[in-house]
Amino acid sequence: MIDPRLPVSQGMRTSDLVKSMVGLLSLGKSDFEAIEPFRSDRFFKEALGLAKVPGSVWMRQRLDARAAELRELTDELSLRLLERTEAPITAHKGYVCADMDTFVMDNSDTKKEAVSRTYQGVDGYTPIALYLGNEGWNLGLELRAGSHHSALETEYFFERVFPRLERVCAADAKVLWRADSGFDSARLLFALAAERERWAGLERSFDYLTKWNPRRQDKAAWVARAEAAGVFEEVRAGKRVGLLDLQVERAWKKAKRTLRLVVRVTERTIDKKGQHLLAPEIEIEGWWTSLDVPMADVIELYKHHGTHEQFHSEIKTDLDLERLPSGKFDTNDAVVHLAAFAYNCLRLIGQLGLTGELSPIRHPAKRRRIKTVLQEVMYRAAKFVEHARRLVLDFGRGVAAHVKVFTTVQARLCVVASP
């Protein structure tokens, strides 16, 4: 699975360091020093096919030296994993959703490179991520400085992830790109519209749905506009809601495009507790979209976008990646890329081994979070012995269900190792 282009230098294969780091991340360990107990662990070495388990100093120094080239190579690992294992990518209401967002990694009280003030008011990093399908497969995870605005240079992120999206989605899939109001800029909307046209030329379906940022809009003027259009409906006493379907012209440099904007205007004169308000409370929300569906469906499709927040949480807490291990930005970025691959591996184990008939004694679920995979599979106690010239992983008695999980996952993952 590891790319053969990874170099060998100073007696230690870089691929061994990559596999060792992915192995640590797959156990929820992100510090370089966490490798030390595994240097004498035969199972860790045999399971990952290592010629030698590196020490923490070797791992830190080699990742510092190879960070730039590793980032590009490790992005390919997740794509191969999803392709070769035929990973399930399920749709929501008929659309395979690609959710893009940024999130905050709190690295306060450190002197790490590029740590700066984030939009949440803490010092840290603001990485950008793309998740695919109801399972939340990660197709892109890149580190950014804490003060980096969501929309800044995001078009370059588009250039990297669009080909991946095209590659892993089925030809007949209806792909829906979703993003919040931090990405409401003409530059990014034009890039999405151009990508939609490119997919149409390939006879494939690609649409986008981006939350509108109203910025300094006159709320009273929007109420008057909704009243003039006669779209207000009273949903309860003292609350009325109106939906507007607009065609708005946006300009970027010398280009102009007419885009669809769905706006919801809410006016409250009585709050939910029955208290009359001295002045009306007005709320305006909007969504830029290329979808040709009713306005209510546009809003409903965007609501599901919020589920991606759980994926951020799993990366930060379950993989223990909130505080990154290195003082160098490039090295931390390489670790984040490796973490995306480890995340996808654990997600695949959860989908193959912990759902349906193989589900553990827990509530039924269509998706298992990373913490559950760690508890049920990765931390499962077993004895690693050599018998009759064979290496045996002995789970003992009374764990037939867990053995079935391991054999099921192994049967699917064995194809990944092929060149």
Side-chain angles (χ1 to χ4, degrees), residues 144-255:
R144 292 178 165 189
S147 57
H148 198 111
H149 188 275
S150 297
L152 182 62
E153 298 181 345
T154 299
E155 64 272 23
Y156 303 121
F157 182 71
F158 283 2
E159 292 176 1
R160 290 186 285 272
V161 297
F162 281 157
R164 302 173 196 169
L165 198 61
E166 179 184 350
R167 180 172 162 183
V168 301
C169 291
D172 59 348
K174 297 168 64 177
V175 178
L176 176 61
W177 182 282
R178 299 186 296 195
D180 64 21
S181 58
F183 301 96
D184 174 11
S185 74
R187 181 181 72 255
L188 299 182
L189 290 172
F190 278 36
L192 290 170
E195 183 66 8
R196 182 173 185 265
E197 293 170 355
R198 188 181 73 84
W199 281 55
L202 301 172
E203 298 184 349
R204 299 185 62 176
S205 174
F206 178 92
D207 286 288
Y208 59 87
L209 178 55
T210 300
K211 186 76 178 288
W212 175 49
N213 188 345
R215 297 183 175 90
R216 293 185 291 272
Q217 293 287 328
D218 185 346
K219 295 182 179 181
W222 279 100
V223 171
R225 189 171 183 174
E227 284 181 336
V231 297
F232 268 127
E233 294 183 4
E234 189 168 4
V235 296
R236 63 166 174 81
K239 178 182 178 181
R240 57 178 184 165
V241 178
L243 296 179
L244 294 168
D245 199 342
L246 308 173
Q247 296 294 319
V248 180
E249 186 176 77
R250 296 288 298 266
W252 169 246
K253 294 184 177 179
K254 296 182 179 181

Side-chain angles (χ1 to χ4, degrees), residues 231-296:
V231 297
F232 268 127
E233 294 183 4
E234 189 168 4
V235 296
R236 63 166 174 81
K239 178 182 178 181
R240 57 178 184 165
V241 178
L243 296 179
L244 294 168
D245 199 342
L246 308 173
Q247 296 294 319
V248 180
E249 186 176 77
R250 296 288 298 266
W252 169 246
K253 294 184 177 179
K254 296 182 179 181
K256 292 183 179 180
R257 284 182 181 270
T258 300
L259 307 176
R260 184 188 183 191
L261 175 63
V262 175
V263 178
R264 180 170 63 188
V265 183
T266 305
E267 184 188 50
R268 298 179 180 87
T269 55
I270 304 175
D271 68 14
K272 61 183 179 181
K273 296 181 180 179
Q275 177 67 48
H276 287 258
L277 304 175
L278 292 176
E281 183 182 278
I282 302 170
E283 181 183 5
I284 55 173
E285 301 172 279
W287 298 267
W288 299 102
T289 185
S290 62
L291 291 168
D292 186 17
V293 298
M295 293 182 285

Side-chain angles (χ1 to χ4, degrees), residues 27-67:
L27 294 173
K29 302 175 186 293
S30 60
D31 293 333
F32 296 129
E33 288 72 18
I35 194 64
E36 293 299 333
F38 294 99
R39 298 185 69 183
S40 56
D41 188 330
R42 185 179 181 185
F43 175 71
F44 187 85
K45 179 180 177 181
E46 295 289 344
L48 294 176
L50 304 176
K52 184 179 181 181
V53 179
S56 58
V57 176
W58 270 100
M59 183 175 290
R60 182 185 296 273
Q61 291 178 347
R62 187 64 62 81
L63 284 176
D64 286 346
R66 305 287 186 184

Side-chain angles (χ1 to χ4, degrees), residues 337-382:
H337 280 69
L338 292 171
F341 176 57
Y343 164 92
N344 285 329
C345 289
L346 294 172
R347 176 70 71 210
L348 184 64
I349 292 172
Q351 295 309 112
L352 296 182
L354 298 180
T355 56
E357 296 180 355
L358 297 178
S359 180
I361 305 176
R362 291 172 178 262
H363 62 277
K366 295 181 180 179
R367 180 184 67 241
R368 296 295 183 186
R369 68 172 295 144
I370 300 301
K371 183 178 181 180
T372 302
V373 179
L374 293 173
Q375 291 174 338
E376 297 290 341
V377 180
M378 305 306 291
Y379 297 157
R380 175 58 50 185

